[in-house]
PDB file of all heavy atoms in Angstrom:
ATOM      1  N   SER A  34     -16.907   3.692 -25.347  1.00 98.00           N
ATOM      2  CA  SER A  34     -17.714   4.609 -24.542  1.00 98.00           C
ATOM      3  C   SER A  34     -17.548   4.204 -23.080  1.00 98.00           C
ATOM      4  O   SER A  34     -17.588   3.023 -22.738  1.00 98.00           O
ATOM      5  CB  SER A  34     -19.181   4.549 -24.949  1.00 98.00           C
ATOM      6  OG  SER A  34     -19.687   3.224 -24.862  1.00 98.00           O
ATOM      7  N   VAL A  35     -17.344   5.216 -22.235  1.00 98.00           N
ATOM      8  CA  VAL A  35     -16.951   4.962 -20.846  1.00 98.00           C
ATOM      9  C   VAL A  35     -17.769   5.815 -19.897  1.00 98.00           C
ATOM     10  O   VAL A  35     -18.023   6.998 -20.168  1.00 98.00           O
ATOM     11  CB  VAL A  35     -15.446   5.270 -20.643  1.00 98.00           C
ATOM     12  CG1 VAL A  35     -15.059   5.225 -19.167  1.00 98.00           C
ATOM     13  CG2 VAL A  35     -14.583   4.295 -21.435  1.00 98.00           C
ATOM     14  N   ALA A  36     -18.155   5.233 -18.770  1.00 98.00           N
ATOM     15  CA  ALA A  36     -18.722   5.977 -17.648  1.00 98.00           C
ATOM     16  C   ALA A  36     -17.946   5.583 -16.396  1.00 98.00           C
ATOM     17  O   ALA A  36     -17.672   4.399 -16.175  1.00 98.00           O
ATOM     18  CB  ALA A  36     -20.205   5.670 -17.460  1.00 98.00           C
ATOM     19  N   ILE A  37     -17.563   6.580 -15.594  1.00 98.00           N
ATOM     20  CA  ILE A  37     -16.827   6.340 -14.345  1.00 98.00           C
ATOM     21  C   ILE A  37     -17.666   6.846 -13.185  1.00 98.00           C
ATOM     22  O   ILE A  37     -18.161   7.979 -13.213  1.00 98.00           O
ATOM     23  CB  ILE A  37     -15.459   7.043 -14.343  1.00 98.00           C
ATOM     24  CG1 ILE A  37     -14.615   6.598 -15.542  1.00 98.00           C
ATOM     25  CG2 ILE A  37     -14.712   6.765 -13.044  1.00 98.00           C
ATOM     26  CD1 ILE A  37     -13.253   7.268 -15.624  1.00 98.00           C
ATOM     27  N   VAL A  38     -17.796   6.002 -12.161  1.00 98.00           N
ATOM     28  CA  VAL A  38     -18.557   6.324 -10.960  1.00 98.00           C
ATOM     29  C   VAL A  38     -17.589   6.443  -9.793  1.00 98.00           C
ATOM     30  O   VAL A  38     -16.751   5.556  -9.577  1.00 98.00           O
ATOM     31  CB  VAL A  38     -19.604   5.225 -10.667  1.00 98.00           C
ATOM     32  CG1 VAL A  38     -20.336   5.508  -9.366  1.00 98.00           C
ATOM     33  CG2 VAL A  38     -20.588   5.104 -11.832  1.00 98.00           C
ATOM     34  N   GLU A  39     -17.681   7.506  -9.036  1.00 96.00           N
ATOM     35  CA  GLU A  39     -16.792   7.746  -7.890  1.00 96.00           C
ATOM     36  C   GLU A  39     -17.620   8.210  -6.701  1.00 96.00           C
ATOM     37  O   GLU A  39     -18.418   9.140  -6.816  1.00 96.00           O
ATOM     38  CB  GLU A  39     -15.741   8.788  -8.245  1.00 96.00           C
ATOM     39  CG  GLU A  39     -14.939   9.348  -7.091  1.00 96.00           C
ATOM     40  CD  GLU A  39     -14.173   8.287  -6.319  1.00 96.00           C
ATOM     41  OE1 GLU A  39     -13.594   7.377  -6.953  1.00 96.00           O
ATOM     42  OE2 GLU A  39     -14.175   8.357  -5.080  1.00 96.00           O
ATOM     43  N   ILE A  40     -17.418   7.580  -5.557  1.00 94.00           N
ATOM     44  CA  ILE A  40     -18.179   7.933  -4.363  1.00 94.00           C
ATOM     45  C   ILE A  40     -17.698   9.227  -3.728  1.00 94.00           C
ATOM     46  O   ILE A  40     -18.443   9.910  -3.025  1.00 94.00           O
ATOM     47  CB  ILE A  40     -18.147   6.769  -3.347  1.00 94.00           C
ATOM     48  CG1 ILE A  40     -19.260   6.937  -2.307  1.00 94.00           C
ATOM     49  CG2 ILE A  40     -16.765   6.656  -2.704  1.00 94.00           C
ATOM     50  CD1 ILE A  40     -19.447   5.728  -1.424  1.00 94.00           C
ATOM     51  N   GLY A  41     -16.449   9.603  -3.967  1.00 93.00           N
ATOM     52  CA  GLY A  41     -15.877  10.819  -3.384  1.00 93.00           C
ATOM     53  C   GLY A  41     -16.235  12.065  -4.163  1.00 93.00           C
ATOM     54  O   GLY A  41     -16.923  12.028  -5.188  1.00 93.00           O
ATOM     55  N   THR A  42     -15.738  13.185  -3.660  1.00 94.00           N
ATOM     56  CA  THR A  42     -16.021  14.476  -4.287  1.00 94.00           C
ATOM     57  C   THR A  42     -15.026  14.833  -5.379  1.00 94.00           C
ATOM     58  O   THR A  42     -15.208  15.824  -6.073  1.00 94.00           O
ATOM     59  CB  THR A  42     -16.026  15.593  -3.229  1.00 94.00           C
ATOM     60  OG1 THR A  42     -14.741  15.627  -2.588  1.00 94.00           O
ATOM     61  CG2 THR A  42     -17.108  15.347  -2.181  1.00 94.00           C
ATOM     62  N   ASP A  43     -13.964  14.035  -5.523  1.00 94.00           N
ATOM     63  CA  ASP A  43     -12.957  14.300  -6.540  1.00 94.00           C
ATOM     64  C   ASP A  43     -12.340  12.974  -6.957  1.00 94.00           C
ATOM     65  O   ASP A  43     -12.509  11.941  -6.286  1.00 94.00           O
ATOM     66  CB  ASP A  43     -11.878  15.244  -5.995  1.00 94.00           C
ATOM     67  CG  ASP A  43     -10.977  15.818  -7.097  1.00 94.00           C
ATOM     68  OD1 ASP A  43     -11.308  15.648  -8.285  1.00 94.00           O
ATOM     69  OD2 ASP A  43      -9.941  16.423  -6.757  1.00 94.00           O
ATOM     70  N   VAL A  44     -11.599  12.988  -8.034  1.00 94.00           N
ATOM     71  CA  VAL A  44     -10.926  11.793  -8.519  1.00 94.00           C
ATOM     72  C   VAL A  44      -9.543  11.687  -7.884  1.00 94.00           C
ATOM     73  O   VAL A  44      -9.053  12.607  -7.247  1.00 94.00           O
ATOM     74  CB  VAL A  44     -10.804  11.822 -10.057  1.00 94.00           C
ATOM     75  CG1 VAL A  44     -12.159  11.983 -10.704  1.00 94.00           C
ATOM     76  CG2 VAL A  44      -9.847  12.933 -10.517  1.00 94.00           C
ATOM     77  N   GLY A  45      -8.907  10.549  -8.084  1.00 90.00           N
ATOM     78  CA  GLY A  45      -7.509  10.381  -7.684  1.00 90.00           C
ATOM     79  C   GLY A  45      -7.285   9.397  -6.561  1.00 90.00           C
ATOM     80  O   GLY A  45      -6.305   8.662  -6.563  1.00 90.00           O
ATOM     81  N   GLY A  46      -8.174   9.406  -5.554  1.00 88.00           N
ATOM     82  CA  GLY A  46      -8.012   8.479  -4.436  1.00 88.00           C
ATOM     83  C   GLY A  46      -6.642   8.588  -3.798  1.00 88.00           C
ATOM     84  O   GLY A  46      -6.048   9.667  -3.717  1.00 88.00           O
ATOM     85  N   SER A  47      -6.103   7.457  -3.395  1.00 86.00           N
ATOM     86  CA  SER A  47      -4.814   7.432  -2.706  1.00 86.00           C
ATOM     87  C   SER A  47      -3.644   7.725  -3.633  1.00 86.00           C
ATOM     88  O   SER A  47      -2.544   8.022  -3.161  1.00 86.00           O
ATOM     89  CB  SER A  47      -4.613   6.076  -2.020  1.00 86.00           C
ATOM     90  OG  SER A  47      -5.576   5.883  -1.007  1.00 86.00           O
ATOM     91  N   ALA A  48      -3.863   7.655  -4.954  1.00 88.00           N
ATOM     92  CA  ALA A  48      -2.776   7.950  -5.889  1.00 88.00           C
ATOM     93  C   ALA A  48      -2.275   9.380  -5.735  1.00 88.00           C
ATOM     94  O   ALA A  48      -1.111   9.664  -6.019  1.00 88.00           O
ATOM     95  CB  ALA A  48      -3.239   7.717  -7.324  1.00 88.00           C
ATOM     96  N   ARG A  49      -3.121  10.275  -5.272  1.00 88.00           N
ATOM     97  CA  ARG A  49      -2.696  11.666  -5.102  1.00 88.00           C
ATOM     98  C   ARG A  49      -1.631  11.807  -4.016  1.00 88.00           C
ATOM     99  O   ARG A  49      -0.949  12.822  -3.950  1.00 88.00           O
ATOM    100  CB  ARG A  49      -3.900  12.550  -4.769  1.00 88.00           C
ATOM    101  CG  ARG A  49      -4.852  12.743  -5.943  1.00 88.00           C
ATOM    102  CD  ARG A  49      -5.712  13.972  -5.752  1.00 88.00           C
ATOM    103  NE  ARG A  49      -6.626  14.203  -6.852  1.00 88.00           N
ATOM    104  CZ  ARG A  49      -6.326  14.866  -7.964  1.00 88.00           C
ATOM    105  NH1 ARG A  49      -5.109  15.338  -8.134  1.00 88.00           N
ATOM    106  NH2 ARG A  49      -7.238  15.050  -8.904  1.00 88.00           N
ATOM    107  N   PHE A  50      -1.495  10.811  -3.162  1.00 84.00           N
ATOM    108  CA  PHE A  50      -0.529  10.884  -2.069  1.00 84.00           C
ATOM    109  C   PHE A  50       0.764  10.138  -2.409  1.00 84.00           C
ATOM    110  O   PHE A  50       1.647  10.016  -1.571  1.00 84.00           O
ATOM    111  CB  PHE A  50      -1.126  10.293  -0.786  1.00 84.00           C
ATOM    112  CG  PHE A  50      -2.542  10.725  -0.510  1.00 84.00           C
ATOM    113  CD1 PHE A  50      -3.488   9.824  -0.065  1.00 84.00           C
ATOM    114  CD2 PHE A  50      -2.926  12.047  -0.703  1.00 84.00           C
ATOM    115  CE1 PHE A  50      -4.795  10.224   0.186  1.00 84.00           C
ATOM    116  CE2 PHE A  50      -4.229  12.451  -0.453  1.00 84.00           C
ATOM    117  CZ  PHE A  50      -5.164  11.543  -0.016  1.00 84.00           C
ATOM    118  N   ALA A  51       0.848   9.636  -3.637  1.00 84.00           N
ATOM    119  CA  ALA A  51       2.016   8.850  -4.035  1.00 84.00           C
ATOM    120  C   ALA A  51       2.956   9.705  -4.874  1.00 84.00           C
ATOM    121  O   ALA A  51       2.838  10.920  -4.912  1.00 84.00           O
ATOM    122  CB  ALA A  51       1.561   7.608  -4.798  1.00 84.00           C
ATOM    123  N   GLY A  52       3.865   9.062  -5.563  1.00 84.00           N
ATOM    124  CA  GLY A  52       4.816   9.811  -6.378  1.00 84.00           C
ATOM    125  C   GLY A  52       5.764   8.932  -7.162  1.00 84.00           C
ATOM    126  O   GLY A  52       6.576   9.428  -7.935  1.00 84.00           O
ATOM    127  N   TYR A  53       5.667   7.613  -6.945  1.00 89.00           N
ATOM    128  CA  TYR A  53       6.557   6.677  -7.615  1.00 89.00           C
ATOM    129  C   TYR A  53       5.752   5.472  -8.088  1.00 89.00           C
ATOM    130  O   TYR A  53       4.864   4.993  -7.388  1.00 89.00           O
ATOM    131  CB  TYR A  53       7.657   6.155  -6.675  1.00 89.00           C
ATOM    132  CG  TYR A  53       8.663   7.204  -6.271  1.00 89.00           C
ATOM    133  CD1 TYR A  53       8.396   8.082  -5.231  1.00 89.00           C
ATOM    134  CD2 TYR A  53       9.873   7.315  -6.946  1.00 89.00           C
ATOM    135  CE1 TYR A  53       9.313   9.054  -4.862  1.00 89.00           C
ATOM    136  CE2 TYR A  53      10.801   8.278  -6.578  1.00 89.00           C
ATOM    137  CZ  TYR A  53      10.512   9.141  -5.537  1.00 89.00           C
ATOM    138  OH  TYR A  53      11.426  10.097  -5.181  1.00 89.00           O
ATOM    139  N   ALA A  54       6.089   4.993  -9.277  1.00 95.00           N
ATOM    140  CA  ALA A  54       5.636   3.676  -9.720  1.00 95.00           C
ATOM    141  C   ALA A  54       6.877   2.799  -9.781  1.00 95.00           C
ATOM    142  O   ALA A  54       7.819   3.108 -10.503  1.00 95.00           O
ATOM    143  CB  ALA A  54       4.961   3.761 -11.085  1.00 95.00           C
ATOM    144  N   TRP A  55       6.873   1.722  -9.006  1.00 95.00           N
ATOM    145  CA  TRP A  55       8.058   0.872  -8.955  1.00 95.00           C
ATOM    146  C   TRP A  55       7.632  -0.566  -8.732  1.00 95.00           C
ATOM    147  O   TRP A  55       6.537  -0.849  -8.235  1.00 95.00           O
ATOM    148  CB  TRP A  55       8.999   1.298  -7.825  1.00 95.00           C
ATOM    149  CG  TRP A  55       8.478   0.978  -6.441  1.00 95.00           C
ATOM    150  CD1 TRP A  55       7.601   1.706  -5.705  1.00 95.00           C
ATOM    151  CD2 TRP A  55       8.787  -0.185  -5.664  1.00 95.00           C
ATOM    152  NE1 TRP A  55       7.335   1.094  -4.499  1.00 95.00           N
ATOM    153  CE2 TRP A  55       8.054  -0.071  -4.451  1.00 95.00           C
ATOM    154  CE3 TRP A  55       9.602  -1.297  -5.871  1.00 95.00           C
ATOM    155  CZ2 TRP A  55       8.118  -1.051  -3.445  1.00 95.00           C
ATOM    156  CZ3 TRP A  55       9.669  -2.262  -4.867  1.00 95.00           C
ATOM    157  CH2 TRP A  55       8.929  -2.124  -3.670  1.00 95.00           C
ATOM    158  N   THR A  56       8.504  -1.487  -9.099  1.00 97.00           N
ATOM    159  CA  THR A  56       8.277  -2.890  -8.799  1.00 97.00           C
ATOM    160  C   THR A  56       9.599  -3.639  -8.936  1.00 97.00           C
ATOM    161  O   THR A  56      10.658  -3.027  -9.124  1.00 97.00           O
ATOM    162  CB  THR A  56       7.180  -3.485  -9.697  1.00 97.00           C
ATOM    163  OG1 THR A  56       6.784  -4.754  -9.167  1.00 97.00           O
ATOM    164  CG2 THR A  56       7.641  -3.638 -11.143  1.00 97.00           C
TER     165      THR A  56
END
Side-chain angles (χ1 to χ4, degrees):
S34 56
V35 171
I37 303 179
V38 176
E39 168 59 41
I40 197 170
T42 59
D43 193 11
V44 304
S47 296
R49 290 201 179 274
F50 316 138
Y53 292 83
W55 71 277
T56 193

